[in-house]
Amino acid sequence: MVRIAGLGLLASLLAWFGLPAATPLQSASFDCASARHPLEKTICASPKLSALDGEVAALYKARLAQLFDKASFRSQQRDWQQILRARCAKSCDASAVETDYRQQRDLLDAFDRETWEASYKTADVATLTITHIDGNAFDFALVRDRDGETLCRLPANDGEAGAVATRASPAKASWSAGACRIDFSFTRDRTGHVTRLDTNASAGCKRYCRGNYGLSDNFLPANNWVAGNQ
């Protein structure tokens, strides 16, 4: 008779009864052997918190890879971690830590939109809203307002299909529909973070604007993301 030990026996029994094999628990994002802070020790003492820590870390990494404004996003995550560690400076309530982690997980899970505004100061303000689809494409909306009056709007109305730009390289992306084409250029710092985003709209895009206004502009990040535990 062949002896089946430990996990092998469990897997065989599950297969025999037609049940799916158990998925291994996700571990914490750090080495529990070197845990020193009360927060770290509380997480490592709980399989549930360890799994949540790993889940939040994975979500953060995935969102960071997509977003252009990485500096503001990193600041949001850093604020969340600092608040959590401050609350656990001496001792931790595991249930409170779980609440904080679930709030941050839900926030990161829905994190796909960022806002950029025109870099110059005039009476009219252009706003570029980007919703990331994946690493190669993003949905965008361009609006230029002046004292509550809409001067440019793309898409033209809420019923019009969204505009999806495709990345050609880390520095370029574009979108076109009929005679309108918009090219996006990304300026990055030494670490690869996008610090400025420029739009160059063709003459065919004038139908989205009134008068002499247009959709070409230079944009800077305008995000003020708040940590999930604030």
Side-chain angles (χ1 to χ4, degrees), residues 9-32:
L9 175 59
L10 176 60
S12 297
L13 290 173
L14 290 172
W16 177 268
F17 288 104
L19 298 174
T23 302
L25 289 174
Q26 187 168 359
S27 60
S29 62
F30 57 92
D31 183 8
C32 282

Side-chain angles (χ1 to χ4, degrees), residues 52-128:
L52 277 171
D53 181 79
E55 190 176 354
V56 166
L59 277 171
Y60 169 72
K61 183 178 180 180
R63 296 294 177 263
L64 182 64
Q66 283 187 339
L67 293 171
F68 295 135
D69 185 10
K70 299 183 190 299
S72 296
F73 186 60
R74 279 180 166 161
S75 178
Q76 185 268 0
Q77 182 77 354
R78 184 168 55 249
D79 288 346
W80 174 74
Q81 291 173 333
Q82 289 177 346
I83 291 170
L84 195 54
R85 292 177 73 87
R87 289 176 180 171
C88 286
K90 294 182 179 180
S91 63
C92 277
D93 178 358
S95 62
V97 173
E98 181 180 346
T99 297
D100 277 346
Y101 263 92
R102 290 190 182 279
Q103 288 176 344
Q104 185 70 355
R105 179 197 61 187
D106 294 345
L107 184 148
L108 293 177
D109 193 39
F111 221 108
D112 60 0
R113 180 174 296 185
E114 55 186 305
T115 303
W116 295 66
E117 288 187 352
S119 58
Y120 60 86
K121 296 181 180 180
T122 60
D124 57 285
V125 179
T127 303
L128 171 63

Side-chain angles (χ1 to χ4, degrees), residues 175-181 207:
W175 167 85
S176 63
C180 179
R181 177 186 174 93
R207 66 188 181 92

Side-chain angles (χ1 to χ4, degrees), residues 153-224:
R153 183 182 176 93
L154 191 168
N157 55 68
D158 293 336
E160 189 174 75
V164 177
T166 303
R167 296 193 208 185
S169 71
K172 301 288 183 181
S174 64
W175 167 85
S176 63
C180 179
R181 177 186 174 93
I182 297 180
D183 292 314
F184 297 84
S185 299
F186 307 106
T187 300
R188 299 176 182 269
D189 62 16
R190 293 180 179 178
T191 64
H193 295 179
V194 177
T195 56
R196 197 180 87 178
L197 199 162
D198 300 341
T199 58
N200 182 23
S202 68
C205 297
K206 289 295 294 181
R207 66 188 181 92
Y208 292 101
C209 295
R210 297 167 52 187
N212 294 321
Y213 295 97
L215 297 173
S216 297
D217 223 319
N218 312 124
F219 294 87
L220 297 178
N223 300 292
N224 186 23

